[in-house]
Amino acid sequence: MAAKTIYCARAFWWRGGTLKGGEVRQFLNEERAIMGAEALYTGAHGVAVFRVTGYPDVDLWEDPQLIATYGDVPSIAGCTFAAVDAA
């Protein structure tokens, strides 16, 4: 069973005084995730770029590791990035 790393970006918007997260977008590598985040940021209040590593065969994933943020994003403690699907 081989570990897999997934690179992701998630946009956030202010709604009703709180930051609401959009769909998690997956990318092939860190560079593409950052490029994708920059594109998402043109229409969002903030974007978080992160990676998760795990074993998709048994659906066992480590905690997300933050790579970069743009604009307004929730604190790591208050943000649920668990919506990542194994591709």
Side-chain angles (χ1 to χ4, degrees), residues 8-60:
C8 305
R10 186 175 191 188
F12 294 89
W13 293 269
W14 283 106
R15 299 286 187 260
T18 60
L19 280 170
K20 300 291 183 179
E23 179 182 336
V24 175
R25 306 284 177 136
Q26 296 181 21
F27 298 90
L28 296 175
N29 57 43
E30 184 173 326
E31 181 182 1
R32 288 190 182 192
I34 289 172
M35 289 172 44
E38 290 169 350
L40 286 170
Y41 187 45
T42 63
H45 293 113
V47 179
V49 182
F50 59 97
R51 70 175 172 264
V52 290
T53 300
Y55 301 91
D57 296 343
V58 293
D59 198 26
L60 179 63

